[in-house]
Amino acid sequence: MTGTIFNIQRFCLNDGPGIRTTVFMKGCPLHCAWCHNPESLSFEKELLYNAERCVGCRKCETVCKQGVHIFGDGAHLLEREKCVFCGECASACQFGALSLAGTEMTAAEIVAVSERDINFYRNSGGGVTLSGGEPMAQFELSLEVASALYKKGISVAIETSGTASGDKYRKIAEFTDLFLFDLKLSNEELYKKYTGGRLETVLENLKVISSLGKDVILRLPIIPDVNGDDAHFEFAAAVANGYPTVKSIEIMPYHALGEEKQRRLGREAAVFRAPDKNEIDGYIEKLSRLTDKPVKRG
Ligand code: SF4
Ligand code: SF4
């Protein structure tokens, strides 16, 4: 089984308990307007171009056989539709202005990288987190990786938007100790508008996962002018309080890093306001008054 991965990050401390390796899979069925990893949205490989780093040496133009890099009047333009994602220009650029998002890897290769840090996992109560993108969207790959790791005694967490089919959650839960489960918005209309998905599916899947007795950390991405309101926190607290399997809640405050990445991908970026520290502390305080579950910043 082969899939497209855009990063494997070792020694992560924020994607579940202990020291973890996080495997970022490419592709997501949603398109959250505030996505902080926009290079994860497409299932295809993509080329990122950072204009601030480009010194105009034109090496990329020399190595690219497809004629993607166009220079004229001091400008460096990319005809992205011609790109075949060979990565030659990214390797040739000495200034780090170009990079390719997406590498094909087999399940066995992902497992081999992930098991390098098995001693760290054991000593810290950590493991491997399958993230993305949406790991459930490359389901067969995720299932194979999760089952192989699980059989080696490595704890597996799945970070998910909760939008795959219930059957898939049932299957992968057999090899999963923890779900990092996103609750993005509190009504169907807003969910559809900002993500393209269905809140009803998300809530159904939380029920499925919880009925299997699997631990859940409920993750709330908070974008102040979209869902930083009392109604959203009341909804999230009611959902969390409804399931003993929800062990804690993490607030994921919006930050603007994704906006710059969107531009590097040649796409227009939606612009949102990021909360300051006082606002974030206020969210945690508000939610803590509505639930007995531990609430922290994720
Ligand atoms: S190789 Fe890098 S620095 Fe040189 S022109 Fe291309 S993108 Fe710019
Ligand atoms: S990745 Fe390959 S095809 Fe695409 S722009 Fe770079 S050299 Fe050209």
Side-chain angles (χ1 to χ4, degrees), residues 79-99:
E79 293 190 352
R80 288 175 181 273
E81 64 286 356
K82 295 182 186 167
C83 181
V84 296
F85 310 110
C86 65
E88 293 288 331
C89 60
S91 304
C93 178
Q94 294 166 356
F95 301 93
L98 294 162
S99 59

Side-chain angles (χ1 to χ4, degrees), residues 47 63-66 68-69 82-89 100:
L47 185 65
V63 298
C64 179
K65 295 180 184 71
Q66 310 300 321
V68 172
H69 300 273
K82 295 182 186 167
C83 181
V84 296
F85 310 110
C86 65
E88 293 288 331
C89 60
L100 204 60

Side-chain angles (χ1 to χ4, degrees), residues 34-298:
W34 50 77
C35 184
H36 65 286
N37 280 333
E39 73 274 42
S40 74
L41 292 175
S42 166
F43 289 86
E44 309 300 326
K45 292 178 186 174
E46 287 174 286
L47 185 65
L48 287 97
Y49 167 59
N50 182 350
E52 279 171 24
R53 289 201 173 174
C54 177
V55 299
C57 69
R58 297 176 75 155
K59 252 225 166 112
C60 49
E61 184 187 32
T62 310
V63 298
C64 179
K65 295 180 184 71
Q66 310 300 321
V68 172
H69 300 273
I70 309 290
F71 292 82
D73 294 335
H76 175 183
L77 302 176
L78 277 73
E79 293 190 352
R80 288 175 181 273
E81 64 286 356
K82 295 182 186 167
C83 181
V84 296
F85 310 110
C86 65
E88 293 288 331
C89 60
S91 304
C93 178
Q94 294 166 356
F95 301 93
L98 294 162
S99 59
L100 204 60
T103 312
E104 269 158 39
M105 287 182 84
T106 63
E109 286 168 336
I110 296 168
V111 170
V113 175
S114 300
E115 69 182 335
R116 279 183 205 158
D117 297 322
I118 193 162
N119 289 335
F120 288 105
Y121 310 150
R122 291 208 170 127
N123 292 333
S124 69
V128 174
T129 300
L130 304 186
S131 180
E134 171 55 70
M136 296 297 285
Q138 292 195 53
F139 179 69
E140 297 303 331
L141 179 70
S142 291
L143 188 65
E144 197 172 324
V145 171
S147 71
L149 291 172
Y150 208 70
K151 282 169 195 160
K152 288 173 189 285
I154 296 174
S155 182
V156 175
I158 306 274
E159 186 179 8
T160 181
S161 59
T163 49
S165 73
D167 267 359
K168 287 181 177 170
Y169 288 106
R170 276 187 200 93
K171 278 185 192 152
I172 209 160
E174 196 183 328
F175 312 109
T176 304
D177 291 316
L178 171 70
F179 286 86
L180 305 168
F181 195 94
D182 271 10
L183 189 63
K184 299 169 191 289
L185 291 150
S186 50
N187 78 57
E188 203 61 77
E189 197 184 326
L190 289 179
Y191 202 93
K192 176 85 188 153
K193 175 179 169 189
Y194 284 106
T195 76
R198 279 176 75 236
L199 178 60
E200 199 185 336
T201 309
V202 175
L203 297 176
E204 277 164 12
N205 283 325
L206 182 57
K207 199 189 271 181
V208 168
I209 289 168
S210 294
S211 72
L212 297 167
K214 294 293 167 180
D215 285 354
V216 172
I217 295 176
L218 205 61
R219 287 190 144 183
L220 312 183
I222 299 296
I223 303 89
D225 300 326
V226 176
N227 60 1
D229 54 272
D230 288 355
H232 184 58
F233 291 115
E234 283 160 17
F235 176 80
V239 170
N241 292 340
Y243 296 105
T245 47
V246 174
K247 299 300 177 194
S248 64
I249 304 174
E250 291 184 357
I251 301 271
M252 316 294 288
Y254 175 75
H255 57 74
L257 289 181
E259 292 173 21
E260 180 50 31
K261 285 196 212 166
Q262 289 278 28
R263 289 182 200 106
R264 290 179 193 173
L265 288 159
R267 301 200 288 252
E268 248 180 62
V271 176
F272 295 98
R273 182 176 70 79
D276 60 27
K277 187 178 178 307
N278 284 342
E279 279 175 292
I280 297 166
D281 290 345
Y283 300 147
I284 294 172
E285 215 180 291
K286 201 176 286 183
L287 207 45
S288 300
R289 282 199 298 270
L290 297 164
T291 177
D292 292 334
K293 316 257 179 187
V295 182
K296 65 167 191 148
R297 181 178 179 160

